[in-house]
């Protein structure tokens, strides 16, 4: 089964998705207006929240099933979302184009430099995904799709870190934000990667 088939199958049976904690916990950091990218958007829960906050949103995902459902929702609710079915392996990211980029539960390290270049100076990155250090089952099993401890801090070194969370296996494991890590970072200078 190829990647498109896999995700179309998942989104054909899933009714909805929840917005990312990193977004819901940091809505107050969003600009009042601007261009936003929800990368690997799935059914678009994050894109919907971003559009409801007054941002113009581009939402990209490989699944045409998810993209078509998001387009229908955005049209019905008159939300400024442009949803594109796009294989991110082939995607060309526009440079210095977005005021906000949100990535939730997606990790492709080969795209990090493009993501960092695509956000404008002064713009924000909201990034949340699964970690190698887990307290319960869930998320991908392949370590290529799992963050190492503090990896987001290394990836966004040079950005102004506004918020970071990576609780790993410390303390009361049945409490807190586990199995995932997130960062909110502000780009302070042009990327020269």
């Amino acid at each position: 089964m190829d990647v498109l088939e896999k995700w179309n199958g998942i989104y054909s049976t899933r009714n909805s998705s929840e917005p990312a904690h990193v977004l819901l916990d940091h809505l107050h950091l969003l600009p009042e207006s601007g261009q936003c990218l929800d990368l690997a958007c799935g059914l678009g829960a994050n894109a919907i929240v971003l559009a409801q906050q007054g941002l113009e949103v581009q939402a990209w995902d490989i699944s045409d099933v998810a993209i078509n459902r998001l387009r229908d929702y955005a049209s019905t609710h008159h939300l400024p979302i442009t949803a594109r079915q796009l294989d991110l392996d082939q995607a060309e990211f526009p440079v210095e184009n977005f005021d906000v980029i949100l990535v939730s539960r997606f990790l492709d390290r080969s795209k990090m430099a493009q993501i960092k270049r695509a956000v404008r100076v002064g713009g924000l990155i909201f990034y949340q995904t699964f970690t190698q250090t887990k307290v319960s089952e869930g998320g991908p099993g392949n370590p290529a799709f799992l963050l190492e401890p503090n990896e987001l801090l290394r990836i966004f070194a040079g950005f102004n870190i506004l918020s970071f969370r990576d609780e790993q296996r410390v303390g009361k494991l049945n409490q807190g934000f586990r199995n995932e890590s997130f960062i909110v970072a502000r780009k302070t200078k042009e990327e020269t990667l």
Side-chain angles (χ1 to χ4, degrees), residues 1-11 61-65 85:
M1 176 186 311
D2 71 3
V3 176
L4 175 61
E5 245 184 301
K6 171 190 167 183
W7 288 107
N8 275 343
I10 289 169
Y11 293 128
D61 199 275
I62 194 168
S63 170
D64 55 309
V65 169
Q85 192 266 335

Side-chain angles (χ1 to χ4, degrees), residues 102-190:
L102 184 135
V103 184
S104 174
R105 295 184 166 177
F106 173 81
L107 180 62
D108 181 345
R109 290 172 181 88
S110 71
K111 296 296 178 189
M112 289 301 184
Q114 290 182 63
I115 292 168
K116 289 163 50 173
R117 280 193 299 263
V119 69
R120 292 182 176 121
V121 173
L124 299 171
I125 299 275
F126 290 72
Y127 206 113
Q128 174 183 324
T129 198
F130 297 103
T131 57
Q132 292 176 1
T133 307
K134 297 180 181 186
V135 300
S136 61
E137 293 300 314
N142 184 340
F145 304 120
L146 300 170
L147 292 168
E148 298 170 5
N150 296 321
E151 185 174 357
L152 288 174
L153 289 174
R154 293 189 298 277
I155 290 169
F156 294 104
F159 280 52
N160 180 17
I161 307 304
L162 302 176
S163 185
F164 173 72
R165 198 161 178 185
D166 188 355
E167 296 183 358
Q168 302 173 28
R169 294 185 56 80
V170 177
K172 296 178 181 173
L173 300 183
N174 62 340
Q175 297 176 16
F177 183 73
R178 306 300 177 147
N179 298 335
E180 295 184 54
S181 178
F182 71 62
I183 197 165
V184 181
R186 184 173 177 266
K187 185 174 180 178
T188 56
K189 62 185 179 199
E190 188 174 331

Side-chain angles (χ1 to χ4, degrees), residues 68-88:
N68 288 332
R69 289 177 63 187
L70 178 55
R71 281 181 186 145
D72 290 346
Y73 185 92
S75 176
T76 300
H77 292 85
H78 309 288
L79 293 172
I81 298 172
T82 303
R84 288 180 56 198
Q85 192 266 335
L86 188 65
D87 181 346
L88 297 179

